[in-house]
Amino acid sequence: MTAATHSTLFPQVPDSADAVLEGLDPEQREVATALRGPVCVLAGAGTGKTRAITHRVAYGVRAGILQPSSVLAVTFTNRAAGEMRGRLRQLGASGVQARTFHSAALRQLQYFWPKAIGGSLPRLVDRKIQLVADAAAACRIRLDRGELRDATAEIEWSKVTQTVPADYAVTAAKAGRETPRDPAEIAQLYAAYEDLKRARSVIDFEDVLLLTVAVLQDRHDVAEQVRAQYQHFVVDEYQDVSPLQQRLLELWLGDRDDLCVVGDASQTIYSFTGATPDHLLDFRVRHPGATVVKLVRDYRSTPQVVHLANGLLAQARGRAADHRLELVSQRSAGPEPVYAEYPDEPAEAEGAARRIRELIDSGVPAAEIAVLFRTNSQSETYEQALADFGVPYQLRGAERFFDRPEVRKAGSALRAAARFGGNDSLLDDAVDLPSQVRAVLSGEGWTTQPPAGSGAVRERWESLAALVGLAQDFAAAREGATLSDLVVELDERAGAQHAPTVQGVTLASLHSAKGLEWDVVFLVGVAEGMMPITYAKTDEQIEEERRLLYVGVTRARENLHLSWALARSPGGRPSRRASRFLKGLRPGSGTAAGRTAAGGAGGGVERGLKGGGGGVAVTVPRRTRRTPARCRVCGRTLTDAGEMKLMRCEGCPSDMDEGVYERLCEWRAVQAERSGQPAFCVFTDKTLVAIAESVPEDERDLARIPGVGARKLNRYGAEVLAICAGQEGVGLDEDG
């Protein structure tokens, strides 16, 4: 949400095309007026990307450049597509098609199927999990509920990456996927699933895209008819495009290039589903003449929230990190992020609930507050804590804890054990309530150690582990409590948490919070093992976890609270610690590499001009607005070039190493004399001061200092670092 979306619910429709452009910032205006050829919009969180692209379409329609029926705008959720249609209508651009990839493909498939294939389109199944179960039975493969969900997810991933059953094992190994069963079994199950669909004349969600691609590839007359209908394409959240969706987009386009894509590689958090930012990052490779616009003015969050978000990405590694955007808050200053450490998870939940109660009592609407966590299994603790403080809440993207199938089944098993436990051999060695619960739930899949993988198996274990923890807490609070007492407690909790809570604090996983925002955000469980999650092992997986935290941070407009617990339960061993992602960003956590603003990309426009010799692109950079830095002492925004070089206000105290500075000055004089040029051509005084204040330890640290470009780094870097390290006589001898 940008500043412009806080206007009235039904704003007045602009009376002209030029009026559509009013209120856009310079970069948004560039997006809105670049109506021909390929356009790539790199849009940071909160920078008004939806505003920019809807005004782009509306301006083109209102100016008579685009016909509404010839525009197809695609995104990834029905909510986002609905929001886009609503904004276009408010801008006087009704008639534009704004759909999800699947919705657009299904509409085309239904229309062309009789002509291209004959007969009517097979029935679309809403949920494929029963078909997967039937296929498993046909293969004599026994899957529990968790494995069934994981196997279904593997089939979905295979289809969106255009992997056939015969290639599954090799492709999964290359992708580094942790398969829920032996890859050969998954491949067998996948093949049986496809056979079963054909036998029953049904198709699934992924088939909609696959079949549309097949029709457009095989029937050129159909492809030409689609291309005659749609001549201009807009793709939102382009970093989430799968290979299959990219192929469909290419078929829609044909040999044309009237395409506008919008995305942010730093918000790629769905790679496990097949999404990849490579299509976004390679856009200029596929379209050398593309115009690239970078949106970095953040209208959502305060400078304090934006500073933390930028700091998170400054520590990132990998290809997406190399293309990160340095956000610049356009809002007035707000409170600093709050960091809180608790002895255990219930104390953390209680602390968050107490603070939320205070905020609501002070006038903050409950609907403007969110509690965001890494996994859905964390929700129950916060549901209970909020209920204890009388705070209404609503769950987004996940069913209530007590509505989960594994929790209902576990409840039934505990109820049966409470009634007939005397005849259950599992309980023979259980001497107290917690051990009884562990014994019963071990039959439902609970183990003392969590499973190694992710997905449904892990989520199921976490739900059961939460019940085990609840039993321990209940037994500690009520001496002599029995299994029957616990069942009554569970029933009461389930009943209390099913009360209507439409207007309330939002409880959501970080994945389901994407695209949303609140005035106040509590990021909870920001501890090692949860953020990053335990099963994130590879560098790529760790970086996706970092991006997930970045998405969480950028959901906050004004107030941001981050917390973690040292132990899971009261009295437990305090073996946890704050997430590594917060190192150097929270007070007292040391220094993190890469915290300055110099590494990120600023806003602006790059125009690609198609030249001769095979369409080689010539990049013509435009003058762009310098990204303001912040004083590292007082935090004030810096606009003076000299202050920006020092990364502090002129009036703020310097922590310069005088000895290093003197040696640098001596060294610079020698270098200037050798080269026959003024001393400032080697390094300016301000740059030497900046080096002496930061005393860089390696080339990466030195390169972040304004005034040290690639050329000077290559020429002088080794000697400057040697001086900073205290080596004597560096570069001062006449023969050196």
Side-chain angles (χ1 to χ4, degrees):
M1 181 180 293
T2 68
T5 59
H6 286 289
S7 57
T8 58
L9 189 59
F10 300 103
Q12 184 177 356
V13 175
D15 58 10
S16 67
D18 288 342
V20 172
L21 301 178
E22 293 178 0
L24 298 181
D25 68 33
E27 291 81 25
Q28 291 172 343
R29 184 178 288 254
E30 288 285 352
V31 175
T33 55
L35 293 170
R36 294 301 185 195
V39 178
C40 178
V41 183
L42 302 176
T47 57
K49 67 179 179 64
T50 305
R51 175 175 170 78
I53 59 176
T54 52
H55 280 68
R56 179 181 192 271
V57 173
Y59 175 73
V61 169
R62 299 292 297 275
I65 300 172
L66 304 176
Q67 293 299 316
S69 60
S70 72
V71 180
L72 177 59
V74 289
T75 186
F76 285 81
T77 66
N78 289 321
R79 180 187 60 79
E83 180 185 359
M84 196 176 294
R85 286 192 296 270
R87 292 199 191 192
L88 289 169
R89 187 168 56 252
Q90 291 171 353
L91 293 170
S94 298
V96 173
Q97 292 292 317
R99 297 180 176 275
T100 65
F101 269 101
H102 285 87
S103 173
L106 181 59
R107 192 165 182 259
Q108 293 173 19
L109 199 60
Q110 290 170 330
Y111 182 82
F112 289 111
W113 187 271
K115 175 182 178 180
I117 308 299
S120 58
L121 183 69
R123 179 175 63 86
L124 177 64
V125 293
D126 293 331
R127 298 177 70 251
K128 60 175 68 67
I129 196 163
Q130 185 56 53
L131 273 173
V132 176
D134 293 345
C139 296
R140 300 183 182 278
I141 298 175
R142 298 190 62 180
L143 301 175
D144 62 26
R145 178 180 162 276
E147 290 175 320
L148 188 59
R149 284 177 56 187
D150 288 342
T152 302
E154 286 302 295
I155 291 174
E156 291 173 349
W157 173 81
S158 299
K159 299 183 78 166
V160 300
T161 56
Q162 302 178 81
T163 302
V164 298
D167 297 337
Y168 169 78
V170 173
T171 306
K174 286 182 178 178
R177 293 185 71 83
E178 282 194 25
T179 58
R181 297 287 289 262
D182 183 272
E185 282 189 319
I186 297 295
Q188 180 188 6
L189 178 61
Y190 180 14
Y193 169 79
E194 292 297 311
D195 291 340
L196 195 58
K197 283 199 292 98
R198 283 189 288 270
R200 296 182 182 181
S201 297
V202 296
I203 59 175
D204 62 24
F205 206 50
E206 290 71 39
D207 287 332
V208 171
L209 298 184
L210 285 164
L211 291 171
T212 305
V213 165
V215 169
L216 294 176
Q217 285 181 159
D218 296 342
R219 293 291 300 265
H220 296 291
D221 56 332
V222 172
E224 289 306 315
Q225 193 170 342
V226 171
R227 292 166 192 161
Q229 171 70 48
Y230 298 117
Q231 285 120 39
H232 195 90
F233 296 85
V234 177
V235 184
D236 194 12
E237 303 288 3
Y238 194 54
Q239 78 277 352
D240 290 332
V241 165
S242 70
L244 179 57
Q245 290 165 331
Q246 175 64 22
R247 180 58 185 148
L248 177 59
L249 178 61
E250 291 167 353
L251 289 167
W252 282 340
L253 277 168
D255 58 1
R256 301 163 302 170
D257 63 359
D258 277 336
L259 168 66
C260 175
V261 301
V262 190
D264 179 9
S266 296
Q267 296 189 67
T268 305
I269 59 174
Y270 296 107
S271 63
F272 60 90
T273 67
T276 170
D278 289 344
H279 305 301
L280 175 68
L281 299 178
D282 292 336
F283 191 81
R284 283 290 290 272
V285 176
R286 297 192 309 277
H287 303 279
T291 296
V292 178
V293 185
K294 296 176 182 178
L295 304 182
V296 298
R297 304 176 197 244
D298 188 319
Y299 296 94
R300 175 188 297 159
S301 304
T302 63
Q304 287 71 21
V305 173
V306 167
H307 186 60
L308 175 58
N310 286 338
L312 280 171
L313 291 190
Q315 301 181 42
R317 301 290 182 268
R319 194 176 183 213
D322 291 339
H323 294 79
R324 71 184 186 274
L325 299 168
E326 191 82 19
L327 299 178
V328 183
S329 176
Q330 305 299 298
R331 297 192 55 181
S332 57
E336 291 289 341
V338 176
Y339 301 88
E341 183 176 276
Y342 293 91
D344 51 65
E345 288 182 2
E348 183 183 7
E350 181 182 344
R354 178 180 290 105
R355 180 58 185 142
I356 290 170
R357 180 74 267 172
E358 293 171 353
L359 289 168
I360 294 174
D361 291 343
S362 69
V364 178
E368 290 296 345
I369 304 173
V371 178
L372 306 182
F373 35 73
R374 177 61 179 84
T375 67
N376 290 329
S377 62
Q378 295 169 269
S379 69
E380 191 271 340
T381 303
Y382 289 89
E383 292 174 50
Q384 185 59 49
L386 291 174
D388 289 344
F389 279 87
V391 175
Y393 63 87
Q394 55 182 331
L395 288 171
R396 182 177 183 89
E399 71 280 10
R400 293 180 181 277
F401 178 82
F402 287 106
D403 282 346
R404 296 171 190 164
E406 64 268 23
V407 175
R408 290 202 302 268
K409 188 177 179 183
S412 298
L414 291 170
R415 192 171 289 105
R419 290 181 180 176
F420 311 112
N423 298 321
D424 192 338
S425 59
L426 278 175
L427 302 180
D428 287 348
D429 298 326
V431 296
D432 56 15
L433 176 59
S435 60
Q436 290 175 337
V437 171
R438 288 193 293 268
V440 172
L441 297 187
S442 64
E444 303 299 320
W446 178 82
T447 56
T448 55
Q449 296 296 322
S454 59
V457 172
R458 176 78 184 203
E459 290 177 3
R460 178 182 178 184
W461 181 90
E462 288 171 338
S463 295
L464 297 177
L467 289 176
V468 171
L470 185 64
Q472 293 171 340
D473 297 340
F474 185 68
R478 290 184 54 177
E479 186 177 353
T482 65
L483 202 53
S484 296
D485 295 330
L486 177 64
V487 168
V488 172
E489 174 71 11
L490 290 174
D491 289 342
E492 290 178 353
R493 288 182 174 229
Q497 292 174 7
H498 284 169
T501 53
V502 177
Q503 289 297 320
V505 172
T506 300
L507 292 175
S509 70
L510 287 165
H511 282 100
S512 64
K514 178 77 165 60
L516 303 174
E517 59 188 77
W518 297 268
D519 285 344
V520 184
V521 169
F522 287 79
L523 288 175
V524 300
V526 190
E528 286 292 308
M530 193 60 73
M531 182 61 66
I533 199 74
T534 304
Y535 46 79
K537 302 295 186 184
T538 67
D539 291 343
E540 292 81 4
Q541 291 169 337
I542 294 294
E543 288 306 316
E544 181 143 337
E545 292 288 301
R546 188 193 309 275
R547 294 194 296 270
L548 189 58
L549 182 58
Y550 171 79
V551 167
V553 167
T554 55
R555 298 311 95 194
R557 298 192 196 108
E558 298 174 5
N559 291 276
L560 179 62
H561 299 254
L562 301 97
S563 63
W564 58 94
L566 299 178
R568 190 194 67 79
S569 57
R573 185 166 63 90
S575 58
R576 297 179 177 179
R577 55 189 173 88
S579 169
R580 71 190 73 171
F581 299 148
L582 298 181
K583 181 176 175 57
L585 300 177
R586 63 184 179 89
S589 61
T591 302
R595 288 195 58 196
T596 66
V605 183
E606 294 177 1
R607 300 190 187 282
L609 301 179
K610 292 182 180 178
V616 177
V618 180
T619 300
V620 183
R622 297 182 59 192
R623 293 187 65 184
T624 59
R625 176 179 182 269
R626 183 184 291 273
T627 303
R630 293 170 64 83
C631 173
R632 53 190 170 83
V633 179
C634 71
R636 183 179 70 84
T637 299
L638 304 176
T639 55
D640 177 76
E643 291 183 338
M644 291 177 68
K645 185 162 289 189
L646 292 174
M647 293 306 294
R648 63 173 174 81
C649 305
E650 286 282 5
C652 285
S654 169
D655 54 356
M656 182 175 67
D657 186 316
E658 296 286 352
V660 170
Y661 179 70
E662 290 179 4
R663 291 194 296 274
L664 286 171
C665 288
E666 293 175 7
W667 166 84
R668 181 181 64 171
V670 172
Q671 297 300 321
E673 184 177 352
R674 287 176 180 172
S675 61
Q677 59 183 349
F680 69 82
C681 291
V682 180
F683 284 122
T684 66
D685 290 344
K686 283 286 199 308
T687 299
L688 291 189
V689 170
I691 294 173
E693 287 186 343
S694 61
V695 191
E697 297 180 354
D698 53 34
E699 286 192 355
R700 187 180 182 88
D701 290 341
L702 181 58
R704 293 192 188 97
I705 298 174
V708 182
R711 183 179 62 83
K712 292 186 179 182
L713 183 66
N714 290 333
R715 185 172 182 180
Y716 303 125
E719 293 188 0
V720 170
L721 290 171
I723 292 171
C724 291
Q727 297 179 23
E728 297 294 335
V730 176
L732 302 182
D733 60 288
E734 290 299 323
D735 298 326

Coordinates of all heavy atoms in Angstrom, one line a residue, residues 68-74 84-85 88 93-99 103-104 107 229-230 234:
P68 N -8.6 -1.7 -24.3 CA -8.7 -2.4 -23.0 C -8.8 -3.9 -23.3 O -8.2 -4.7 -22.6 CB -10.1 -1.9 -22.5 CG -10.2 -0.5 -23.1 CD -9.6 -0.6 -24.4
S69 N -9.5 -4.4 -24.3 CA -9.6 -5.8 -24.6 C -8.4 -6.5 -25.1 O -8.3 -7.7 -25.1 CB -10.8 -6.0 -25.6 OG -10.5 -5.4 -26.8
S70 N -7.4 -5.7 -25.4 CA -6.1 -6.2 -26.0 C -5.1 -6.4 -24.9 O -4.0 -6.9 -25.1 CB -5.6 -5.4 -27.1 OG -5.0 -4.2 -26.5
V71 N -5.4 -6.0 -23.6 CA -4.4 -6.1 -22.5 C -4.7 -7.3 -21.6 O -5.9 -7.5 -21.2 CB -4.5 -4.8 -21.7 CG1 -3.4 -4.8 -20.6 CG2 -4.2 -3.6 -22.6
L72 N -3.7 -8.0 -21.3 CA -3.9 -9.1 -20.4 C -2.9 -8.9 -19.2 O -1.6 -8.9 -19.5 CB -3.6 -10.5 -21.0 CG -3.7 -11.7 -20.1 CD1 -5.1 -11.8 -19.4 CD2 -3.4 -13.0 -20.8
A73 N -3.4 -8.7 -18.0 CA -2.5 -8.5 -16.9 C -2.6 -9.8 -16.0 O -3.8 -10.2 -15.7 CB -2.9 -7.3 -16.1
V74 N -1.5 -10.4 -15.7 CA -1.6 -11.7 -14.9 C -0.8 -11.5 -13.7 O 0.3 -10.8 -13.6 CB -1.0 -12.9 -15.8 CG1 -2.0 -13.2 -16.9 CG2 0.3 -12.6 -16.3
M84 N -6.3 -5.6 -8.7 CA -5.9 -4.9 -9.9 C -7.1 -4.5 -10.7 O -7.1 -3.3 -11.2 CB -5.0 -5.8 -10.7 CG -4.2 -5.1 -11.8 SD -3.1 -6.3 -12.7 CE -1.9 -6.7 -11.4
R85 N -8.1 -5.3 -10.8 CA -9.3 -5.0 -11.6 C -10.0 -3.8 -10.9 O -10.5 -2.9 -11.6 CB -10.2 -6.2 -11.7 CG -9.8 -7.2 -12.6 CD -10.9 -8.2 -12.9 NE -11.3 -9.0 -11.7 CZ -10.7 -10.1 -11.3 NH1 -9.8 -10.7 -12.1 NH2 -11.1 -10.8 -10.2
L88 N -8.1 -0.5 -11.7 CA -8.2 -0.1 -13.1 C -9.6 0.5 -13.3 O -9.8 1.5 -14.0 CB -8.0 -1.3 -14.0 CG -6.6 -1.8 -14.1 CD1 -6.5 -3.2 -14.8 CD2 -5.7 -0.8 -14.9
A93 N -10.5 2.5 -16.6 CA -9.9 1.6 -17.5 C -10.6 0.2 -17.4 O -10.0 -0.8 -17.3 CB -8.4 1.4 -17.4
S94 N -11.9 0.2 -17.4 CA -12.7 -1.0 -17.3 C -12.5 -1.8 -18.6 O -12.2 -1.2 -19.7 CB -14.2 -0.8 -17.1 OG -14.4 -0.1 -15.9
G95 N -12.7 -3.1 -18.5 CA -12.6 -3.9 -19.7 C -11.2 -4.6 -19.9 O -11.0 -5.5 -20.7
V96 N -10.2 -4.2 -19.1 CA -8.9 -4.9 -19.1 C -9.0 -6.2 -18.4 O -9.6 -6.3 -17.3 CB -7.8 -4.0 -18.5 CG1 -6.5 -4.8 -18.3 CG2 -7.7 -2.7 -19.2
Q97 N -8.4 -7.3 -19.0 CA -8.4 -8.6 -18.3 C -7.3 -8.6 -17.3 O -6.1 -8.5 -17.6 CB -8.2 -9.7 -19.4 CG -9.4 -9.8 -20.3 CD -10.6 -10.4 -19.7 OE1 -10.5 -11.3 -18.8 NE2 -11.8 -9.8 -19.9
A98 N -7.6 -8.8 -16.0 CA -6.7 -9.0 -15.0 C -7.0 -10.4 -14.3 O -8.0 -10.5 -13.7 CB -6.7 -7.9 -14.0
R99 N -6.1 -11.3 -14.5 CA -6.4 -12.7 -14.1 C -5.1 -13.4 -13.5 O -4.0 -12.8 -13.7 CB -6.9 -13.5 -15.2 CG -8.2 -13.1 -15.8 CD -8.7 -13.9 -17.0 NE -10.0 -13.6 -17.5 CZ -11.1 -14.0 -16.9 NH1 -11.1 -14.8 -15.9 NH2 -12.3 -13.6 -17.4
S103 N -6.3 -18.9 -14.2 CA -7.6 -18.4 -14.7 C -7.6 -18.0 -16.2 O -8.5 -18.4 -16.9 CB -8.0 -17.2 -13.8 OG -9.2 -16.6 -14.3
A104 N -6.5 -17.3 -16.6 CA -6.4 -16.9 -18.0 C -6.3 -18.2 -18.9 O -6.9 -18.3 -19.9 CB -5.2 -16.0 -18.2
R107 N -9.6 -20.2 -19.1 CA -10.6 -19.5 -20.0 C -10.2 -19.8 -21.4 O -11.2 -20.1 -22.2 CB -10.5 -18.0 -19.7 CG -11.6 -17.2 -20.3 CD -11.6 -15.8 -19.7 NE -12.7 -15.0 -20.2 CZ -12.6 -14.0 -21.1 NH1 -11.4 -13.8 -21.6 NH2 -13.6 -13.3 -21.5
Q229 N -5.9 -11.5 -30.1 CA -6.8 -10.9 -29.1 C -6.0 -10.1 -28.1 O -6.3 -9.0 -27.7 CB -7.4 -12.1 -28.3 CG -8.2 -11.7 -27.0 CD -9.4 -10.9 -27.3 OE1 -10.2 -11.3 -28.1 NE2 -9.6 -9.7 -26.6
Y230 N -4.8 -10.6 -27.7 CA -4.0 -9.9 -26.7 C -2.7 -9.5 -27.3 O -1.9 -10.3 -27.8 CB -3.7 -10.9 -25.5 CG -4.9 -11.3 -24.7 CD1 -5.3 -12.6 -24.7 CD2 -5.7 -10.4 -24.1 CE1 -6.5 -13.0 -24.0 CE2 -6.9 -10.7 -23.4 CZ -7.2 -12.1 -23.4 OH -8.4 -12.5 -22.7
V234 N 1.1 -7.7 -19.1 CA 1.7 -7.2 -17.8 C 1.8 -8.4 -16.9 O 0.7 -9.1 -16.7 CB 0.9 -6.0 -17.2 CG1 1.5 -5.6 -15.9 CG2 0.8 -4.9 -18.1

